[in-house]
Amino acid sequence: MSETIRSALREESTNIVKFNEALSDIIDESMQNGLFQSRFNPQHIASVLVGIYFNALITWSSAETKEDLKEIFHPQFEIVWEGIAAQ
Amino acid sequence: MSETIRSALREESTNIVKFNEALSDIIDESMQNGLFQSRFNPQHIASVLVGIYFNALITWSSAETKEDLKEIFHPQFEIVWEGIAAQ
């Protein structure tokens, strides 16, 4: 990665890590309440979701696509969801 | 996202998109050669893998973790792999 993005990520990573933690807490609570089931760790599930979310944002912000953010995110979410829900 | 990262991503996104395309081509070829099977689109699979890869890098580069990059990436890959391989 270029030095520019590396330094920006150093600044931004706290926010990304916080988003990850918040999502992880929500998933954990939902699993404990029986609203949501998965054999995977809530923190790892949250990381995967945050990963595809940011990647969708990056693809969307690039000049090369005219796709809607939802159109970029959704097919990635479908793949990930299959994994999360796998028995 | 902060303006810093937004502008850095504008610069870096071309590289990320190129990485995505290269990976997508490899997956596509492997599927055509029967080395790899999935009911999902190679481009979407590549996007998910790039997403968790960059997210693992971000988590790893943040000051809050002492984990190895592989230790961060692997559990996310396991979830995603279940999805990719789902029938």
Side-chain angles (χ1 to χ4, degrees):
Chain A
M1 284 196 280
S2 71
E3 186 46 43
T4 327
I5 200 168
R6 214 175 289 145
S7 106
L9 284 179
R10 265 195 291 277
E11 266 178 51
E12 190 68 21
S13 60
T14 321
N15 286 341
I16 298 178
V17 170
K18 273 186 194 161
F19 176 34
N20 210 320
E21 282 169 0
L23 195 57
S24 177
D25 288 347
I26 294 169
I27 295 171
D28 197 16
E29 222 180 285
S30 307
M31 278 165 113
Q32 284 181 29
N33 295 340
L35 292 169
F36 178 75
Q37 289 183 328
S38 176
R39 65 181 169 93
F40 294 106
N41 179 314
Q43 211 189 323
H44 299 151
I45 296 172
S47 296
V48 169
L49 292 173
V50 169
I52 62 165
Y53 172 68
F54 276 101
N55 193 47
L57 268 184
I58 289 167
T59 309
W60 178 65
S61 73
S62 85
E64 292 174 44
T65 183
K66 283 190 180 68
E67 272 183 305
D68 188 54
L69 181 56
K70 266 198 274 183
E71 283 171 54
I72 300 168
F73 181 77
H74 196 255
Q76 297 186 44
F77 181 74
E78 272 193 289
I79 297 175
V80 165
W81 189 253
E82 284 281 358
I84 294 169
Q87 294 306 309
Chain B
M1 287 197 279
S2 72
E3 186 46 42
T4 327
I5 200 168
R6 213 173 291 145
S7 104
L9 285 179
R10 263 194 293 273
E11 267 177 51
E12 190 67 21
S13 59
T14 320
N15 287 341
I16 299 178
V17 169
K18 274 185 194 162
F19 178 33
N20 210 319
E21 283 169 0
L23 194 57
S24 176
D25 288 347
I26 294 168
I27 296 171
D28 197 14
E29 221 179 285
S30 307
M31 280 166 112
Q32 285 182 27
N33 294 341
L35 293 169
F36 178 76
Q37 288 183 328
S38 175
R39 63 182 170 91
F40 293 106
N41 179 315
Q43 211 190 322
H44 299 149
I45 296 172
S47 296
V48 168
L49 293 172
V50 171
I52 63 166
Y53 172 69
F54 276 100
N55 193 47
L57 268 184
I58 290 168
T59 309
W60 178 65
S61 73
S62 85
E64 292 173 47
T65 185
K66 283 190 181 66
E67 273 183 303
D68 188 55
L69 181 56
K70 265 199 275 184
E71 283 172 53
I72 301 169
F73 181 77
H74 196 255
Q76 296 185 45
F77 181 73
E78 272 194 290
I79 297 175
V80 166
W81 189 252
E82 283 281 359
I84 293 170
Q87 295 306 310

